[in-house]
Structure formats: structure tokens, C-alpha cells
Amino acid sequence: MNLTGRLHDVFVEDFRKELAEIQSLEAKRLFVLAKANHLVHLRIGEYVALVAAADLTGHYGVGVLIESCLADTLASVERTRRLIRTSLKPRSQPEQPPSFAL
């Protein structure tokens, strides 16, 4: 299947235009992380559809390979989420270790 790449072109065009309008460096960093997160979620949707297609056609090995790619992508989402949370914390606030209540 040939893809035109139009979705990618529109995304990049909008990204550049919106990024140029942002003045604050911190806001720019957060914007880039949020857009990266959007792209990753699009990729997750593609992987889920491909796994379903592989299962429907009986290509279970292919489905397993794609699921491993999906797992890596989900790990990337968690790292990005952590970066976003970290960037939103005030710089003067010290890192608190997690408390475990029994």
C-alpha cells in the first residue's frame, strides 16, 4: 500500500507554526513533549490494528512481533509521561521518595 504522507506533512507544518508562536522556553519544551506523545499514540493505534489484522489472517508469529514493538512503544509513552510530569514540577521543590503505607 502506498501512503502519500500527507498526514505527516500537515502535522509537521502545524508543529513548526505553533512552536514558532510560543515564547517561553519551558512552554516550548512541554509543547514538544506533548506533540511527541501524540505521534506515539498514533503509532500505538497502528500497531493495535496490525496485530488484529495478523491475528485475523492467521499470522500469529507476525502478531507477536508487532506486539513486542507495541510494548516498546508503550514503554516510550511512560518515559514521555514521566518527563512531562517532571517538567511541570517547580524547580525549588525537592524530589520526594515514594511513601509506602501498610
Side-chain angles (χ1 to χ4, degrees):
M1 180 163 116
N2 292 331
L3 299 175
T4 63
R6 181 70 185 136
L7 178 63
H8 178 265
D9 294 342
V10 170
F11 185 87
V12 170
E13 213 173 280
D14 288 345
F15 175 80
R16 287 181 179 161
K17 184 172 61 171
E18 291 173 21
L19 186 64
E21 293 174 3
I22 299 173
Q23 300 298 319
S24 166
L25 183 60
E26 287 295 318
K28 281 187 179 194
R29 288 180 182 153
L30 187 59
F31 177 76
V32 169
L33 287 172
K35 285 298 185 177
N37 205 21
H38 288 157
L39 283 175
V40 169
H41 278 87
L42 284 172
R43 181 57 47 104
I44 288 170
E46 291 172 352
Y47 285 147
V48 169
L50 288 171
V51 168
D55 288 347
L56 283 173
T57 58
H59 294 91
Y60 302 108
V62 173
V64 169
L65 288 173
I66 297 170
E67 283 175 343
S68 71
C69 294
L70 176 59
D72 289 343
T73 304
L74 290 172
S76 172
V77 167
E78 187 54 39
R79 284 191 301 272
T80 304
R81 186 178 297 140
R82 233 182 354 255
L83 280 171
I84 291 171
R85 273 194 229 123
T86 303
S87 69
L88 292 177
K89 284 184 183 178
R91 296 281 185 224
S92 61
Q93 182 180 358
E95 182 86 17
Q96 296 288 330
S99 62
F100 298 100
L102 297 176

